[in-house]
Amino acid sequence: MIPIPAIEKANRETIKRFQEEKLRELMAYLRRHSAYYQRLFSAHGIAWDAIRSLEDLAQVPVTTKDDLHRENQAFRCVDSSQVADYVTTSGTSGDPVLLALTDSDLNRLAYNESLSYQCMGMSAGETIQLTTTMDRRFMAGLAYFLGARMAGIGIVRVGSGVPELQWDTVARVRPDAVVCVPSFLLKMIEYAEANGIDYQQSSIKKALCIGEPLRTPDFALNPLARRIRSKWDIQLFSTYASTEMATAFTECAHGVGGHHHPELIIAEFLDEDNNPVPEGEPGELVITTLGVAGMPLLRFKTGDIVQPHYEPCACGRTTMRLGPVIGRKNQMVKYKGTTLYPPALFDLLNDVEEVENYLIEISLDEFGEDEITVKVGSHAISDELLLRIKDRFRAKLRVSPKIVFVSVQEINRIKFPENSRKAITFIDYR
């Protein structure tokens, strides 16, 4: 098994000194190569040499996704001849943003995902099945492929969808684990049950789950994860990542948050005024990438509200752990005096067995107030089910949104649009 890097087992003061040394290297690199940060520092009268500690970062204005989109070329620190690969963000929260990666960035990406495999206890000589696409400028599929190569783990690239092909590959190759969106595991289970496949006896014992959360803020399995585990007794590992930060926070077998890799990224947690929140409280994750050559980012706002945890983990790591995403800042809903984030709605619906699929739509009513419409797909439509869902919303979230039944097929058509890399479960018309 890949060993845990020494810096990830160090005390907090050692990690801080290590990150500050990397930060000073980043400042020197941006000063020489980044047109965007050169202009930013000049416009705000910031001395490059003044940014030496983690606390000094507060002097630097944050970078937003709009900045990255609007001045994309100014962020690039290398000539086009040095770019080895281009990727874009998924575009689920706006237009896709282009990012350029050098050879060293691809090596960094491989190192990052080799650590993800280490967290889930995989070793050289094992095999993983990838259900993530490697085309359409998608970073994740490439990252997991490169990470497996670095870790000496065998790979079978099946790509997204097609449960029949997934199970045929499992039978032929007998992989030890799978990388997938967790809700797709339910589709694999459904196909297996319909076609007499004994999935309980399959070679797959672990799943690295991307794109959807598996845990509640207290680290209990959420309804989606419980639904999977009630059918299929495999280990589920949650991960959090984004294209912009080219870094993943993956949980270990102890399941108490995604592990921070301080050699790859500096993490801050800010409030709505871009000030640090008290330690251990939820805040918007703001990141500074370390070791990135193509398009390094300084104080980039992810838009995700998360809670950090600082107690050492039983796996041996002493680094910060990241709780599940509470919500995206731009997806906050204020409904009849209650503040909600979509994940709370998802968890509630995932916990109703008769609900096959769903969409959450947010719009503005005639008074300019947020309006929630929940479209539910089910093969067991009834007044009793409608009342039960409404009662659960009132009991759990103290709200009663509009709920309408729609065919399972119609929701799937919207949820899985052609050429989309992610399932759509939340549509914001505001």
Side-chain angles (χ1 to χ4, degrees):
M1 188 181 298
I2 306 161
I4 297 175
I7 191 60
E8 300 189 17
K9 297 189 291 183
N11 60 46
R12 289 184 68 176
E13 186 55 39
T14 299
I15 291 172
K16 183 175 187 291
R17 288 198 304 270
F18 171 87
Q19 288 210 305
E20 289 175 341
E21 181 180 339
K22 295 295 182 183
L23 175 62
R24 291 190 285 273
E25 292 174 6
L26 173 63
M27 289 300 102
Y29 186 80
L30 293 176
R31 185 177 189 174
R32 292 194 305 271
H33 301 291
S34 175
Y36 177 82
Y37 288 111
Q38 288 166 5
R39 289 204 305 266
L40 183 75
F41 273 52
S42 177
H44 291 270
I46 304 169
W48 288 94
D49 292 342
I51 311 303
R52 302 185 59 79
S53 70
L54 299 186
E55 291 80 11
D56 294 337
L57 281 170
Q59 301 176 45
V60 183
V62 293
T63 295
T64 68
K65 195 161 190 171
D66 285 343
D67 297 327
L68 190 54
H69 187 269
R70 185 179 60 254
E71 301 193 52
N72 194 259
Q73 288 296 316
F75 280 90
R76 188 188 296 182
C77 293
V78 297
D79 184 77
S80 59
S81 63
Q82 295 176 266
V83 178
D85 191 73
Y86 292 92
V87 296
T88 55
T89 59
S90 63
T92 51
S93 59
D95 291 334
V97 173
L98 182 69
L99 293 166
L101 285 74
T102 66
D103 273 335
S104 65
D105 293 337
L106 292 178
N107 288 334
R108 177 186 177 280
L109 200 60
Y111 172 76
N112 165 72
E113 294 305 352
S114 72
L115 294 177
S116 293
Y117 294 129
Q118 195 280 336
C119 282
M120 61 187 294
M122 293 198 69
S123 302
E126 293 187 292
T127 303
I128 195 151
Q129 183 160 320
L130 298 183
T131 74
T132 52
T133 181
M134 288 183 63
D135 57 5
R136 303 176 187 171
R137 305 179 307 214
F138 195 28
M139 176 183 277
L142 177 65
Y144 289 116
F145 175 84
L146 294 174
R149 291 269 298 165
M150 179 174 283
I153 294 169
I155 312 146
V156 52
R157 295 175 293 108
V158 184
S160 59
V162 199
E164 181 180 8
L165 181 59
Q166 303 291 347
W167 283 119
D168 176 73
T169 306
V170 172
R172 290 169 178 264
V173 180
R174 296 190 58 76
D176 301 281
V178 61
V179 175
C180 65
V181 175
S183 56
F184 184 64
L185 288 173
L186 292 175
K187 290 185 177 296
M188 289 184 64
I189 292 168
E190 181 182 359
Y191 182 89
E193 290 178 341
N195 291 273
I197 297 172
D198 187 1
Y199 57 91
Q200 298 287 5
Q201 298 303 315
S202 78
S203 60
I204 294 176
K205 305 303 179 190
K206 300 177 180 181
L208 181 55
C209 296
I210 67 172
E212 295 172 337
L214 293 175
R215 297 190 182 275
T216 59
D218 63 355
F219 299 124
L221 292 178
N222 68 12
L224 174 59
R226 293 202 306 270
R227 207 163 170 180
I228 295 167
R229 287 292 305 274
S230 70
K231 293 276 192 176
W232 195 1
D233 186 22
I234 60 173
Q235 279 187 287
L236 303 176
F237 293 86
S238 185
T239 190
Y240 166 81
S242 75
T243 304
E244 295 92 339
M245 64 187 185
T247 308
F249 292 77
T250 303
E251 68 181 10
C252 67
H254 297 280
V256 288
H259 285 289
H260 174 218
H261 305 304
E263 63 270 48
L264 298 178
I265 201 165
I266 293 171
E268 300 176 77
F269 304 90
L270 305 185
D271 63 19
E272 291 186 359
D273 298 317
N274 295 327
N275 295 316
V277 299
E279 182 169 303
E281 290 192 10
E284 181 179 2
L285 176 64
V286 174
I287 59 94
T288 294
T289 54
L290 300 174
V292 171
M295 295 176 73
L297 296 174
L298 180 65
R299 303 200 84 204
F300 177 78
K301 289 166 67 75
T302 65
D304 291 323
I305 310 299
V306 291
Q307 181 167 348
H309 298 265
Y310 295 96
E311 305 83 3
C313 182
C315 73
R317 283 186 167 88
T318 56
T319 50
M320 180 267 293
R321 294 170 286 110
L322 208 60
V325 174
I326 296 169
R328 287 194 63 80
K329 192 173 180 181
N330 64 351
Q331 291 181 347
M332 185 178 73
V333 179
K334 290 197 172 181
Y335 186 69
K336 300 187 187 307
T338 300
T339 298
L340 299 169
Y341 288 101
L345 308 179
F346 301 160
D347 281 353
L348 188 148
L349 291 164
N350 285 328
D351 208 20
V352 180
E353 188 173 351
E354 294 91 339
V355 173
E356 300 287 331
N357 54 16
Y358 54 83
L359 288 171
I360 308 293
E361 295 181 345
I362 309 297
S363 57
L364 295 177
D365 65 15
E366 57 186 306
F367 305 107
E369 301 292 331
D370 290 349
E371 186 71 32
I372 304 174
T373 300
V374 180
K375 293 184 175 179
V376 174
S378 175
H379 294 300
I381 294 173
S382 68
D383 290 341
E384 187 274 334
L385 177 60
L386 178 62
L387 180 61
R388 186 145 49 90
I389 295 173
K390 286 184 175 181
D391 285 345
R392 289 183 71 85
F393 269 100
R394 282 190 287 261
K396 298 285 187 180
L397 303 177
R398 304 189 303 280
V399 298
S400 183
K402 180 181 179 183
I403 298 169
V404 296
F405 286 118
V406 181
S407 73
V408 172
Q409 294 76 15
E410 174 64 13
I411 290 180
N412 277 334
R413 184 185 67 78
I414 301 170
K415 187 174 180 179
F416 301 104
E418 190 175 353
N419 296 325
S420 176
R421 299 194 313 224
K422 290 185 178 179
I424 295 172
T425 51
F426 179 81
I427 301 175
D428 195 340
Y429 294 111
R430 292 173 295 183

Coordinates of all heavy atoms in Angstrom, one line a residue, residues 92-165:
T92 N -22.0 23.2 -14.2 CA -23.3 23.1 -13.5 C -23.7 24.4 -12.8 O -24.8 24.6 -12.4 CB -23.2 22.0 -12.5 OG1 -22.1 22.1 -11.7 CG2 -23.1 20.6 -13.2
S93 N -22.7 25.3 -12.5 CA -23.0 26.5 -11.8 C -22.6 27.7 -12.7 O -22.2 28.8 -12.1 CB -22.3 26.6 -10.4 OG -20.9 26.5 -10.6
G94 N -22.6 27.6 -14.0 CA -22.3 28.7 -14.9 C -21.6 28.1 -16.1 O -21.5 26.9 -16.3
D95 N -21.1 29.0 -17.0 CA -20.4 28.5 -18.2 C -19.1 27.8 -17.8 O -18.4 28.2 -16.8 CB -20.0 29.8 -19.0 CG -21.2 30.4 -19.7 OD1 -22.2 29.7 -19.8 OD2 -21.1 31.6 -20.0
P96 N -18.8 26.7 -18.5 CA -17.5 26.0 -18.2 C -16.3 26.8 -18.3 O -16.2 27.7 -19.2 CB -17.5 24.9 -19.3 CG -18.9 24.7 -19.8 CD -19.5 26.1 -19.6
V97 N -15.4 26.7 -17.4 CA -14.2 27.4 -17.3 C -13.0 26.6 -17.8 O -12.8 25.4 -17.4 CB -13.9 27.9 -15.9 CG1 -12.5 28.6 -15.8 CG2 -15.0 28.9 -15.5
L98 N -12.2 27.1 -18.7 CA -11.1 26.4 -19.3 C -9.9 26.5 -18.4 O -9.5 27.5 -17.9 CB -10.7 27.0 -20.7 CG -9.6 26.3 -21.5 CD1 -10.0 24.9 -21.9 CD2 -9.2 27.2 -22.7
L99 N -9.2 25.3 -18.2 CA -8.0 25.3 -17.4 C -6.9 24.5 -18.2 O -7.2 23.5 -18.9 CB -8.2 24.6 -16.1 CG -9.1 25.3 -15.1 CD1 -9.5 24.4 -14.0 CD2 -8.4 26.6 -14.5
A100 N -5.7 25.1 -18.2 CA -4.6 24.5 -18.9 C -3.6 23.8 -17.9 O -3.3 24.3 -16.9 CB -3.8 25.6 -19.7
L101 N -3.2 22.5 -18.3 CA -2.4 21.7 -17.4 C -1.1 21.4 -18.1 O -1.1 21.0 -19.3 CB -3.0 20.4 -17.0 CG -4.1 20.5 -15.9 CD1 -5.4 21.1 -16.5 CD2 -4.4 19.1 -15.4
T102 N 0.0 21.6 -17.4 CA 1.4 21.2 -17.9 C 1.6 19.7 -17.5 O 0.9 19.1 -16.8 CB 2.4 22.1 -17.3 OG1 2.5 21.8 -15.9 CG2 2.2 23.6 -17.5
D103 N 2.8 19.2 -18.0 CA 3.2 17.9 -17.6 C 3.3 17.7 -16.1 O 2.9 16.7 -15.5 CB 4.6 17.5 -18.3 CG 4.4 17.0 -19.7 OD1 3.4 16.4 -20.0 OD2 5.4 17.1 -20.5
S104 N 3.9 18.7 -15.5 CA 4.0 18.7 -14.0 C 2.7 18.7 -13.3 O 2.5 18.1 -12.3 CB 4.9 19.8 -13.5 OG 4.3 21.1 -13.7
D105 N 1.7 19.4 -13.9 CA 0.4 19.5 -13.3 C -0.3 18.1 -13.4 O -1.0 17.7 -12.5 CB -0.5 20.5 -14.1 CG 0.0 21.9 -13.8 OD1 0.6 22.2 -12.8 OD2 -0.3 22.8 -14.7
L106 N 0.0 17.4 -14.5 CA -0.6 16.0 -14.7 C 0.0 15.1 -13.7 O -0.6 14.2 -13.1 CB -0.4 15.5 -16.1 CG -1.2 16.2 -17.2 CD1 -0.8 15.6 -18.6 CD2 -2.7 16.1 -16.9
N107 N 1.3 15.3 -13.4 CA 2.0 14.4 -12.4 C 1.4 14.7 -11.0 O 1.2 13.8 -10.2 CB 3.5 14.7 -12.4 CG 4.2 14.1 -13.6 OD1 3.7 13.1 -14.2 ND2 5.3 14.7 -14.0
R108 N 1.2 16.0 -10.7 CA 0.6 16.4 -9.5 C -0.8 15.8 -9.3 O -1.2 15.3 -8.3 CB 0.5 18.0 -9.4 CG -0.2 18.5 -8.1 CD -0.4 20.0 -8.3 NE -1.1 20.6 -7.1 CZ -2.4 20.6 -7.0 NH1 -3.2 20.0 -7.9 NH2 -2.9 21.1 -5.9
L109 N -1.6 15.8 -10.4 CA -2.9 15.2 -10.4 C -2.9 13.7 -10.1 O -3.7 13.2 -9.4 CB -3.6 15.5 -11.8 CG -5.1 15.4 -11.9 CD1 -5.8 16.4 -11.0 CD2 -5.5 15.6 -13.4
A110 N -1.9 13.1 -10.7 CA -1.7 11.6 -10.5 C -1.4 11.4 -9.0 O -1.9 10.5 -8.4 CB -0.6 11.1 -11.4
Y111 N -0.5 12.2 -8.5 CA -0.1 12.1 -7.1 C -1.3 12.2 -6.2 O -1.5 11.5 -5.2 CB 1.0 13.1 -6.7 CG 1.3 13.2 -5.2 CD1 2.1 12.2 -4.6 CD2 0.8 14.2 -4.5 CE1 2.4 12.3 -3.3 CE2 1.1 14.3 -3.1 CZ 1.9 13.3 -2.5 OH 2.2 13.4 -1.2
N112 N -2.1 13.2 -6.5 CA -3.3 13.5 -5.7 C -4.2 12.3 -5.6 O -4.7 11.9 -4.6 CB -4.0 14.7 -6.3 CG -5.5 14.9 -5.8 OD1 -5.7 15.2 -4.6 ND2 -6.4 14.5 -6.6
E113 N -4.5 11.7 -6.8 CA -5.5 10.6 -6.8 C -4.8 9.3 -6.3 O -5.5 8.4 -5.8 CB -6.1 10.4 -8.1 CG -7.0 11.6 -8.6 CD -8.1 11.9 -7.6 OE1 -8.3 11.1 -6.6 OE2 -8.8 12.9 -7.8
S114 N -3.5 9.2 -6.4 CA -2.9 8.0 -5.7 C -3.1 8.1 -4.2 O -3.3 7.0 -3.6 CB -1.4 8.0 -6.1 OG -0.7 9.0 -5.4
L115 N -3.2 9.3 -3.7 CA -3.5 9.5 -2.3 C -4.9 9.1 -2.0 O -5.3 8.5 -0.9 CB -3.2 10.9 -1.8 CG -1.8 11.4 -1.8 CD1 -1.7 12.8 -1.4 CD2 -0.9 10.5 -0.9
S116 N -5.8 9.3 -2.9 CA -7.2 8.9 -2.8 C -7.3 7.4 -2.7 O -8.0 6.8 -1.8 CB -8.1 9.4 -3.9 OG -8.2 10.8 -3.9
Y117 N -6.6 6.7 -3.5 CA -6.6 5.3 -3.5 C -5.9 4.8 -2.2 O -6.4 3.8 -1.6 CB -5.8 4.7 -4.7 CG -6.5 4.9 -6.0 CD1 -5.8 5.5 -7.1 CD2 -7.8 4.6 -6.2 CE1 -6.4 5.7 -8.3 CE2 -8.5 4.8 -7.4 CZ -7.7 5.4 -8.4 OH -8.4 5.6 -9.6
Q118 N -4.9 5.5 -1.7 CA -4.3 5.1 -0.4 C -5.3 5.3 0.7 O -5.4 4.4 1.6 CB -3.1 6.0 -0.2 CG -2.2 5.6 0.9 CD -2.6 5.9 2.4 OE1 -3.4 6.8 2.6 NE2 -2.2 5.1 3.3
C119 N -6.1 6.4 0.7 CA -7.1 6.6 1.7 C -8.1 5.4 1.8 O -8.6 5.0 2.8 CB -7.9 7.9 1.5 SG -6.9 9.4 2.0
M120 N -8.5 4.9 0.6 CA -9.5 3.8 0.6 C -8.8 2.4 0.7 O -9.5 1.4 0.6 CB -10.3 3.9 -0.6 CG -9.6 3.8 -2.0 SD -10.7 4.1 -3.4 CE -11.9 2.7 -3.3
G121 N -7.5 2.4 1.0 CA -6.9 1.1 1.3 C -6.5 0.2 0.2 O -6.4 -1.0 0.3
M122 N -6.4 0.8 -1.0 CA -6.0 0.0 -2.2 C -4.5 -0.1 -2.3 O -3.7 0.8 -1.9 CB -6.6 0.6 -3.4 CG -8.1 0.5 -3.5 SD -8.8 0.8 -5.1 CE -8.3 -0.8 -5.9
S123 N -4.1 -1.2 -3.0 CA -2.6 -1.5 -3.1 C -2.3 -1.8 -4.5 O -3.1 -2.1 -5.4 CB -2.3 -2.7 -2.2 OG -2.6 -2.5 -0.9
A124 N -1.0 -1.7 -4.8 CA -0.5 -2.0 -6.2 C -0.9 -3.5 -6.4 O -0.8 -4.3 -5.6 CB 1.0 -1.8 -6.2
G125 N -1.3 -3.7 -7.7 CA -1.6 -5.1 -8.1 C -3.1 -5.3 -8.1 O -3.6 -6.3 -8.7
E126 N -3.9 -4.4 -7.4 CA -5.4 -4.5 -7.4 C -5.9 -3.8 -8.7 O -5.1 -3.2 -9.4 CB -6.0 -3.9 -6.2 CG -5.7 -4.6 -4.9 CD -6.4 -4.1 -3.7 OE1 -6.1 -2.9 -3.3 OE2 -7.3 -4.8 -3.2
T127 N -7.2 -3.9 -9.0 CA -7.7 -3.4 -10.2 C -9.0 -2.5 -9.9 O -9.8 -2.9 -9.0 CB -8.2 -4.5 -11.2 OG1 -7.0 -5.3 -11.5 CG2 -8.7 -3.9 -12.5
I128 N -9.1 -1.4 -10.6 CA -10.3 -0.5 -10.4 C -11.0 -0.3 -11.7 O -10.4 -0.2 -12.7 CB -9.8 0.8 -9.7 CG1 -11.0 1.6 -9.2 CG2 -9.0 1.7 -10.7 CD1 -10.7 2.5 -8.0
Q129 N -12.3 -0.3 -11.6 CA -13.2 -0.1 -12.8 C -13.6 1.4 -12.8 O -14.2 1.9 -11.8 CB -14.4 -1.0 -12.7 CG -15.3 -0.9 -14.0 CD -16.1 -2.2 -14.1 OE1 -15.7 -3.3 -13.9 NE2 -17.4 -2.0 -14.5
L130 N -13.3 2.1 -13.8 CA -13.7 3.5 -14.0 C -15.0 3.7 -14.7 O -15.0 3.3 -15.9 CB -12.6 4.3 -14.6 CG -11.2 4.3 -14.0 CD1 -10.2 5.2 -14.8 CD2 -11.3 4.8 -12.5
T131 N -16.0 4.2 -14.1 CA -17.2 4.5 -14.8 C -17.3 6.0 -15.2 O -18.3 6.5 -15.6 CB -18.5 4.2 -14.0 OG1 -18.6 5.1 -12.9 CG2 -18.3 2.8 -13.4
T132 N -16.2 6.7 -14.9 CA -16.1 8.2 -15.2 C -15.6 8.3 -16.6 O -14.6 7.6 -17.0 CB -15.3 8.9 -14.2 OG1 -14.0 8.2 -14.2 CG2 -15.9 8.9 -12.9
T133 N -16.1 9.3 -17.4 CA -15.6 9.5 -18.7 C -14.3 10.2 -18.7 O -13.9 10.9 -17.8 CB -16.6 10.4 -19.5 OG1 -16.1 10.6 -20.8 CG2 -16.8 11.8 -18.9
M134 N -13.4 9.9 -19.7 CA -12.2 10.5 -19.9 C -12.2 11.5 -21.1 O -11.2 12.1 -21.4 CB -11.1 9.5 -20.1 CG -10.7 8.7 -18.8 SD -9.4 7.5 -19.0 CE -8.0 8.6 -19.4
D135 N -13.3 11.6 -21.7 CA -13.4 12.6 -22.8 C -14.2 13.8 -22.4 O -14.3 14.1 -21.2 CB -14.1 11.9 -24.1 CG -15.4 11.4 -23.8 OD1 -16.0 11.6 -22.6 OD2 -16.0 10.7 -24.7
R136 N -14.6 14.7 -23.3 CA -15.4 15.9 -23.0 C -14.7 16.8 -22.1 O -15.3 17.5 -21.2 CB -16.8 15.5 -22.5 CG -17.6 14.6 -23.4 CD -18.9 14.2 -22.8 NE -19.6 13.2 -23.6 CZ -20.7 12.6 -23.2 NH1 -21.2 12.8 -22.1 NH2 -21.3 11.7 -24.0
R137 N -13.4 16.8 -22.1 CA -12.6 17.8 -21.3 C -12.8 17.6 -19.8 O -12.6 18.5 -19.0 CB -12.9 19.2 -21.7 CG -12.7 19.5 -23.2 CD -13.1 21.0 -23.5 NE -14.4 21.4 -23.0 CZ -15.2 22.2 -23.6 NH1 -14.8 22.7 -24.8 NH2 -16.3 22.6 -23.1
F138 N -13.1 16.3 -19.4 CA -13.4 16.0 -18.0 C -12.1 15.7 -17.3 O -11.3 14.8 -17.7 CB -14.3 14.8 -18.0 CG -15.0 14.6 -16.7 CD1 -15.3 15.6 -15.8 CD2 -15.4 13.3 -16.3 CE1 -15.9 15.4 -14.6 CE2 -16.1 13.1 -15.1 CZ -16.3 14.1 -14.3
M139 N -11.9 16.4 -16.1 CA -10.6 16.1 -15.4 C -10.7 14.8 -14.6 O -9.7 14.1 -14.4 CB -10.3 17.3 -14.5 CG -9.1 17.1 -13.6 SD -8.7 18.4 -12.4 CE -7.8 19.5 -13.5
A140 N -11.8 14.5 -13.9 CA -11.9 13.5 -12.9 C -11.5 12.1 -13.5 O -10.7 11.4 -12.9 CB -13.3 13.4 -12.3
G141 N -12.0 11.8 -14.7 CA -11.7 10.5 -15.3 C -10.2 10.4 -15.5 O -9.6 9.3 -15.3
L142 N -9.6 11.4 -16.1 CA -8.2 11.5 -16.3 C -7.4 11.4 -15.0 O -6.4 10.6 -14.9 CB -7.8 12.8 -17.0 CG -6.4 13.0 -17.3 CD1 -5.8 12.0 -18.3 CD2 -6.1 14.4 -17.9
A143 N -7.9 12.1 -14.0 CA -7.2 12.1 -12.7 C -7.1 10.7 -12.1 O -6.1 10.2 -11.6 CB -7.8 13.0 -11.7
Y144 N -8.3 10.0 -12.1 CA -8.3 8.6 -11.5 C -7.5 7.6 -12.3 O -6.9 6.7 -11.7 CB -9.8 8.2 -11.3 CG -10.5 8.9 -10.2 CD1 -11.6 9.7 -10.5 CD2 -10.1 8.8 -8.9 CE1 -12.2 10.4 -9.5 CE2 -10.7 9.5 -7.9 CZ -11.8 10.3 -8.2 OH -12.4 11.1 -7.2
F145 N -7.5 7.8 -13.6 CA -6.6 7.0 -14.5 C -5.2 7.2 -14.1 O -4.4 6.2 -13.9 CB -6.9 7.3 -15.9 CG -6.0 6.5 -16.9 CD1 -6.3 5.3 -17.3 CD2 -4.9 7.1 -17.4 CE1 -5.5 4.6 -18.2 CE2 -4.0 6.4 -18.3 CZ -4.4 5.2 -18.7
L146 N -4.7 8.4 -14.1 CA -3.3 8.7 -13.8 C -2.9 8.3 -12.4 O -1.8 7.8 -12.2 CB -3.0 10.2 -14.0 CG -3.2 10.8 -15.5 CD1 -3.0 12.3 -15.5 CD2 -2.2 10.1 -16.4
G147 N -3.8 8.5 -11.5 CA -3.5 8.1 -10.1 C -3.3 6.6 -9.9 O -2.4 6.2 -9.2
A148 N -4.2 5.9 -10.6 CA -4.0 4.4 -10.6 C -2.7 4.0 -11.2 O -2.0 3.1 -10.7 CB -5.2 3.8 -11.3
R149 N -2.3 4.6 -12.3 CA -1.1 4.3 -12.9 C 0.1 4.5 -12.0 O 1.0 3.7 -11.8 CB -0.9 5.2 -14.2 CG -1.8 4.9 -15.3 CD -1.2 3.8 -16.3 NE 0.0 4.3 -16.9 CZ 0.9 3.6 -17.5 NH1 0.7 2.3 -17.6 NH2 2.0 4.1 -18.1
M150 N 0.1 5.7 -11.3 CA 1.2 6.0 -10.3 C 1.2 5.0 -9.2 O 2.3 4.7 -8.7 CB 1.0 7.4 -9.8 CG 2.1 7.9 -8.8 SD 2.0 9.6 -8.4 CE 2.7 10.4 -9.9
A151 N 0.0 4.6 -8.8 CA -0.1 3.7 -7.6 C 0.1 2.2 -8.0 O 0.1 1.4 -7.1 CB -1.5 3.9 -6.9
G152 N 0.3 1.9 -9.2 CA 0.4 0.5 -9.6 C -0.8 -0.3 -9.6 O -0.8 -1.5 -9.5
I153 N -2.0 0.4 -9.7 CA -3.3 -0.2 -9.7 C -3.8 -0.4 -11.1 O -3.7 0.5 -11.9 CB -4.3 0.6 -8.9 CG1 -3.9 0.7 -7.4 CG2 -5.7 0.1 -9.0 CD1 -4.6 1.7 -6.6
G154 N -4.2 -1.6 -11.4 CA -4.8 -1.9 -12.8 C -6.1 -1.1 -13.0 O -6.8 -0.8 -12.1
I155 N -6.3 -0.8 -14.3 CA -7.5 0.0 -14.6 C -8.3 -0.6 -15.8 O -7.7 -1.2 -16.7 CB -7.0 1.4 -15.2 CG1 -6.0 2.0 -14.2 CG2 -8.2 2.3 -15.4 CD1 -5.0 2.9 -14.9
V156 N -9.6 -0.6 -15.6 CA -10.5 -1.0 -16.8 C -11.4 0.2 -17.0 O -12.2 0.6 -16.1 CB -11.2 -2.3 -16.5 CG1 -12.0 -2.3 -15.2 CG2 -12.1 -2.6 -17.7
R157 N -11.3 0.8 -18.2 CA -12.0 2.0 -18.5 C -13.3 1.7 -19.2 O -13.4 1.5 -20.4 CB -11.2 2.9 -19.4 CG -9.9 3.5 -18.7 CD -9.0 4.3 -19.6 NE -8.5 3.4 -20.7 CZ -8.8 3.5 -21.9 NH1 -9.8 4.3 -22.3 NH2 -8.3 2.7 -22.8
V158 N -14.4 1.7 -18.5 CA -15.7 1.4 -19.0 C -16.5 2.7 -19.4 O -17.2 2.7 -20.4 CB -16.6 0.5 -18.1 CG1 -17.9 0.1 -18.7 CG2 -15.8 -0.7 -17.7
G159 N -16.3 3.7 -18.7 CA -17.0 5.0 -18.9 C -18.4 5.0 -18.2 O -18.7 4.0 -17.5
S160 N -19.1 6.0 -18.5 CA -20.4 6.2 -17.7 C -21.5 5.4 -18.3 O -21.5 5.1 -19.5 CB -20.7 7.7 -17.7 OG -20.8 8.2 -19.1
G161 N -22.5 5.1 -17.5 CA -23.7 4.5 -17.9 C -23.6 3.0 -18.3 O -22.6 2.4 -18.0
V162 N -24.6 2.5 -19.0 CA -24.6 1.2 -19.5 C -24.4 0.1 -18.5 O -23.3 -0.6 -18.5 CB -23.7 1.0 -20.7 CG1 -24.1 -0.3 -21.5 CG2 -23.6 2.2 -21.6
P163 N -25.3 -0.2 -17.6 CA -25.1 -1.2 -16.5 C -24.8 -2.6 -17.1 O -24.0 -3.3 -16.5 CB -26.5 -1.2 -15.8 CG -27.0 0.2 -16.0 CD -26.6 0.6 -17.4
E164 N -25.3 -2.9 -18.2 CA -25.0 -4.2 -18.8 C -23.5 -4.4 -19.1 O -22.9 -5.4 -18.8 CB -25.8 -4.4 -20.1 CG -25.5 -5.8 -20.8 CD -26.3 -6.0 -22.1 OE1 -27.0 -5.0 -22.5 OE2 -26.3 -7.1 -22.6
L165 N -22.9 -3.3 -19.7 CA -21.5 -3.4 -19.9 C -20.7 -3.3 -18.6 O -19.6 -4.0 -18.5 CB -21.1 -2.2 -20.8 CG -19.6 -2.1 -21.2 CD1 -19.2 -3.3 -22.0 CD2 -19.4 -0.8 -22.1

